[in-house]
């Protein structure tokens, strides 16, 4: 069947033909290619077309598609262990690896997705502090948990959905929305709600309004305000963890989070998530403490094996991050130079191997308002041109592109050649 035939048939059985809204290419008015296989930096659709992939499953594929060590770990494990719903040595090995190689993670609890990780971290913070309110930032996305679907990024920006239907007022009345990188705004929020805030949750390098890095001063002030008011600081590193550096976005700032959430890369491409942090906070979790959180599939052996293979390989090969950073720089500078020649208004934000090309007349994109100034029609034309030229990019102005260890100089040069041919 062709891509279109499969997609049309899929619409009969899955809402919108997809299992996650952003995959439907609604924002770019195109039919998505139906992906059959992936290898290294490339993916191939059902019609045999090859795309150089800059989505990487929305981040997890840092080692490239079907990395041989990850595949071997999955195969070896599932010969004998698929699921037990019981303790395994594999989950200990991954937990120990994370606690010993990361900063600020003294204990960890495995879950099955990024949404589960953030949702559970917030519940734990509420249980620990005995408070109900949380502060999140406009444009940041922390998954589809009701309490986060207020001024959220990702597909909710893409589709212009202000929140989501099906979310009772009750579920969001304790969610306060702040302005990313706006210190004055968070001071005002803390003045008003400081004593009621259980937690602040933030993407320290946001990827879900496109890539926007938090400013150091902003993060330092945020930490100080949390300390003053007894509020826990949660870094959502579902996307940035093991991506912007092995130790994630935490290593870019002088501030420590109390809790951190992970997913994506840490499961090597299989469904996973984890949250961890201060021991005294984590010990509030059941069965030690009174905050209940559970999961039939949590710590699944195949996922643990894929995660362990991925994180071990990344930890032992720090040069991977240099490779990705140097390719990212080449791509960023190359795009800026071509845009200047062609008179295309754009800002390229990048943090290591995550990057967004914002089509805007602004000089820089550091605030949510800057992000919202983008020309989404121009983005759509750019996206369509790049897809036709064989490059798989996120189909939204408000998402991040991802580089992998398997991308080469040649891939970047080909990308830049294709961009040069873009007719504005
Ligand atoms: C920063 C961040 N937090 C949380 C999530 C939710 O993760 P998941 O899609 O695995 O539920 C995502 C991605 O979707 C994310 O990028
Ligand atoms: N921005 C989202 C996660 O990072 C995109 C993935 C999804 O929602 O399917």
């Amino acid at each position: 069947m062709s891509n279109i035939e499969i997609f049309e048939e899929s619409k009969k059985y899955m809402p919108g033909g997809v299992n996650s809204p952003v995959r439907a290419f609604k924002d770019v008015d195109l039919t998505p290619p139906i992906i059959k296989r992936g290898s290294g930096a490339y993916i191939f659709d059902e019609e045999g077309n090859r795309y150089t992939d800059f989505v990487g499953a929305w981040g997890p594929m840092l080692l490239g598609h079907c990395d041989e060590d990850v595949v071997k770990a999955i195969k070896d494990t599932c010969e004998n262990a698929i699921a037990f719903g019981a303790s395994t040595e594999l989950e200990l090995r991954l937990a120990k690896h994370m606690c010993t190689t990361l900063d600020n993670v003294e204990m960890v609890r495995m879950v099955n997705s990024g949404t589960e990780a953030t949702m559970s971290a917030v519940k734990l913070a509420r249980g620990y502090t005995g408070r109900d309110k949380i502060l999140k930032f406009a444009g940041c996305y922390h998954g589809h948990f009701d309490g986060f679907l207020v001024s959220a990024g990702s597909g909710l920006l893409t589709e212009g959905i202000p929140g989501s239907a099906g979310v009772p007022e009750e579920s969001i009345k304790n969610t306060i929305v702040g302005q990313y990188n706006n210190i004055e705004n968070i001071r005002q929020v803390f003045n008003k709600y400081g004593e009621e805030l259980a937690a602040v949750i933030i993407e320290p390098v946001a990827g879900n309004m496109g890539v926007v890095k938090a400013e150091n001063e902003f993060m330092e002030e945020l930490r100080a305000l949390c300390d003053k008011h007894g509020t826990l600081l949660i870094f959502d590193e579902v996307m940035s963890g093991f991506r912007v550096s092995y130790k994630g976005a935490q290593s870019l700032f002088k501030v420590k989070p109390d809790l951190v959430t992970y997913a994506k890369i840490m499961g090597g491409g299989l469904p996973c998530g984890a949250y961890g942090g201060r021991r005294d906070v984590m010990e509030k979790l059941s069965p030690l403490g009174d905050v209940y959180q559970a999961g039939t599939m949590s710590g699944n052996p195949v996922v643990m094996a894929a995660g362990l293979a991925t994180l071990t390989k990344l930890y032992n090969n720090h040069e991977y991050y240099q490779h990705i950073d140097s390719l990212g720089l080449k791509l960023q500078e190359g795009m800026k130079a071509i845009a200047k020649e062609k008179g295309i208004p754009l800002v390229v934000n990048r943090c290591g191997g995550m990057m967004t090309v914002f089509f805007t007349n602004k000089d820089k994109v550091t605030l949510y308002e800057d992000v919202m100034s983008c020309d989404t029609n121009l983005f759509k034309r750019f996206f369509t041109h790049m897809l036709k030229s064989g490059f798989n990019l996120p189909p939204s102005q408000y998402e991040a592109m991802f580089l992998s260890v398997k991308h080469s100089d040649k891939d970047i040069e080909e990308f830049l050649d294709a961009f040069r041919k873009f007719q504005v």
Side-chain angles (χ1 to χ4, degrees), residues 20-23 58 141 154-155 207-208 239 264 398-399 402:
S20 196
V22 72
R23 298 179 198 172
W58 301 96
Y141 177 70
S154 188
N208 287 293
M239 194 184 275
K264 296 193 189 262
Y398 311 117
E399 299 279 0
F402 298 101

Side-chain angles (χ1 to χ4, degrees), residues 203-318:
E203 288 181 77
V205 175
N208 287 293
M209 52 175 149
V211 174
V212 180
K213 183 176 173 286
E215 287 161 356
N216 291 334
E217 213 190 333
F218 176 75
M219 292 301 277
E220 282 160 27
E221 180 77 15
L222 194 54
R223 179 70 267 181
L225 285 165
C226 285
D227 288 342
K228 184 169 166 204
H229 294 273
T231 300
L232 297 186
L233 180 56
I234 306 173
F235 278 10
D236 181 354
E237 295 240 41
V238 163
M239 194 184 275
S240 57
F242 310 103
R243 160 67 54 188
V244 297
S245 77
Y246 178 85
K247 291 189 177 186
Q250 289 159 73
S251 59
L252 311 178
F253 301 99
K254 287 193 210 112
V255 295
K256 288 182 177 190
D258 300 296
L259 292 174
V260 195
T261 59
Y262 296 99
K264 296 193 189 262
I265 292 172
M266 67 146 285
L270 298 194
C272 76
Y275 58 109
R278 275 170 43 190
R279 181 176 298 277
D280 63 320
V281 182
M282 293 301 288
E283 286 185 343
K284 264 301 253 187
L285 277 177
S286 183
L288 290 182
D290 54 2
V291 175
Y292 194 75
Q293 183 273 312
T296 305
M297 286 296 162
S298 298
N300 173 276
V302 186
V303 177
M304 296 296 101
L308 192 60
T310 303
L311 298 196
T312 315
K313 192 160 178 172
L314 292 174
Y315 184 69
N316 291 333
N317 292 282
H318 275 265

Side-chain angles (χ1 to χ4, degrees), residues 101-136:
T101 63
L102 296 169
D103 297 330
N104 312 313
V105 180
E106 292 177 332
M107 292 185 111
V108 73
R109 166 70 59 91
M110 305 295 176
V111 290
N112 304 289
S113 69
T115 301
E116 253 192 84
T118 53
M119 178 176 83
S120 309
V122 162
K123 180 160 64 171
L124 175 58
R126 284 177 166 150
Y128 182 83
T129 58
R131 301 172 179 182
D132 289 338
K133 291 199 189 313
I134 57 163
L135 168 64
K136 78 171 283 288

